[in-house]
């Protein structure tokens, strides 16, 4: 390999943040210990519980690219492309825009179809819809966890990724769309400032009544620490903990 080819390879690798997320060390673009534990889970239903600014949406975005076939998942088998997946967010305005920003950071070069465009105000859109079309034929459709519940009925999907806590009815309806293919469900959220005891009962059981969980979920809890936030200044982590 000549020097020009080496330079092109190095430039391409530097631009591929998803590849660097898998291969580099924490702090150099690689996943933190908590993120790695989350990604390594082998259950069909995986939940990441973490505080703000720990990188949970970043980790969920990596899962969306891997599950849609944009790049190989480093730890598990994924649906065969082309496939249909949903990305459920709090709403299709700010929620989709915020998740799209994280997806954009990790977007593998050449993975997205030319019909799909990205802008800071709206996030990803395909012909005006909150949707990502990939060159491999897969579709990632944005869905609201709080609005127009009728849009969640009738579809059969290959994976479901949930960013932050949806309404209980939306959660159940979206999961029902996964039944045919036993599709993986991946969720990441911060359990602060919102009623989430109903989700606790589902995934972890009720400690007050000793009732067990009603579903089998693999739960990763990422603590706020410099080790789990190598992308942040330790002083900001200390300040966040003191504020809480």
């Amino acid at each position: 390999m000549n020097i020009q080819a080496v330079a092109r390879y190095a430039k391409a690798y530097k631009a591929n943040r998803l590849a660097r997320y898998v291969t580099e060390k924490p702090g150099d673009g690689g996943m933190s210990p908590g993120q790695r534990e989350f990604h390594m889970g082998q259950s069909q239903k995986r939940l990441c519980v973490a505080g703000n600014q720990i990188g949970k949406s970043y980790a969920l975005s990596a899962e969306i690219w891997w599950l849609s076939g944009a790049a190989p998942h480093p730890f598990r088998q994924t649906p065969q492309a082309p496939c249909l997946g949903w990305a459920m967010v709090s709403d299709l305005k700010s929620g989709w825009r915020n998740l799209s920003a994280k997806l954009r950071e990790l977007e593998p070069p050449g993975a997205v179809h030319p019909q799909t465009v990205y802008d800071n105000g709206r996030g990803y859109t395909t012909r005006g819809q909150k949707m990502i079309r990939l060159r491999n034929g897969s579709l990632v459709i944005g869905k609201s966890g709080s609005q127009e519940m009728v849009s969640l009925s009738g579809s059969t999907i290959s994976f479901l990724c949930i960013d932050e806590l949806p309404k209980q009815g939306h959660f159940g309806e979206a999961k029902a769309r996964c039944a045919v293919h036993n599709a993986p469900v991946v969720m990441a959220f911060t359990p602060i400032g919102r009623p989430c005891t109903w989700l606790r009962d589902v995934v972890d059981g009720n400690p007050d009544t000793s009732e067990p969980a009603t579903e089998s979920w693999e739960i990763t809890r990422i603590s706020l620490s410099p080790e789990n936030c190598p992308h942040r200044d330790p002083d900001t982590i200390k300040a966040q903990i003191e504020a809480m």
Side-chain angles (χ1 to χ4, degrees):
M1 185 180 292
N2 60 35
I3 190 65
Q4 290 84 5
V6 171
R8 287 195 298 270
Y9 176 83
K11 184 178 181 180
Y13 176 71
K14 185 177 181 181
N16 192 335
R17 295 184 69 171
L18 185 60
R20 290 166 53 203
Y21 182 65
V22 175
T23 58
E24 295 292 340
K25 296 179 180 179
D28 292 333
M31 59 186 73
S32 71
Q35 289 171 325
R36 179 175 291 274
E37 180 186 350
F38 173 55
H39 295 311
M40 289 181 68
Q42 295 302 303
S43 173
Q44 285 298 89
K45 296 176 183 177
R46 290 178 286 147
L47 173 63
C48 177
V49 182
N52 291 318
Q53 302 302 314
I54 281 183
K56 61 184 185 303
S57 294
Y58 199 79
L60 188 72
S61 296
E63 288 285 341
I64 291 172
W65 290 125
W66 292 329
L67 290 168
S68 64
H73 198 296
F75 303 116
R76 60 184 290 144
Q77 295 293 318
T78 57
Q80 185 175 355
C83 60
L84 171 63
W86 284 1
M88 177 171 278
V89 292
S90 56
D91 62 77
L92 288 179
K93 188 175 181 180
S94 62
W96 178 252
R97 181 180 65 238
N98 293 340
L99 181 60
S100 290
K102 298 299 183 183
L103 284 163
R104 180 68 169 179
E105 290 184 49
L106 286 169
E107 180 187 314
V112 174
H113 193 280
Q115 289 180 347
T116 295
V117 297
Y118 174 85
D119 68 63
N120 293 333
R122 296 185 300 168
Y124 285 99
T125 56
T126 303
R127 295 181 174 176
Q129 298 186 49
K130 310 293 187 184
M131 179 172 67
I132 303 172
R133 182 182 296 275
L134 277 68
R135 289 184 183 272
N136 66 9
S138 293
L139 291 174
V140 179
I141 300 177
K143 292 291 182 178
S144 170
S146 61
Q147 304 161 315
E148 66 265 346
M149 188 168 168
V150 66
S151 70
L152 303 177
S153 61
S155 297
T156 298
I157 60 178
S158 297
F159 66 88
L160 169 64
C161 291
I162 306 174
D163 187 37
E164 297 301 348
L165 186 70
K167 290 184 177 180
Q168 186 173 0
H170 291 65
F171 178 75
E173 190 67 27
K175 286 199 295 99
R177 309 281 72 80
C178 301
V180 172
H181 297 311
N182 189 28
V185 182
V186 187
M187 181 176 178
F189 86 114
T190 299
I192 297 175
R194 65 199 72 187
C196 55
T197 53
W198 64 265
L199 181 63
R200 178 206 63 190
D201 294 349
V202 171
V203 304
D204 209 22
N206 188 328
D208 298 325
T209 63
S210 298
E211 293 179 79
T214 59
E215 297 180 7
S216 177
W217 284 72
E218 187 170 348
I219 305 174
T220 303
R221 294 178 172 86
I222 304 179
S223 60
L224 181 61
S225 67
E227 292 74 23
N228 281 322
C229 301
H231 57 288
R232 292 180 55 185
D233 186 315
D235 288 341
T236 68
I237 297 173
K238 181 180 179 181
Q240 183 177 343
I241 292 172
E242 290 175 349
M244 289 303 297

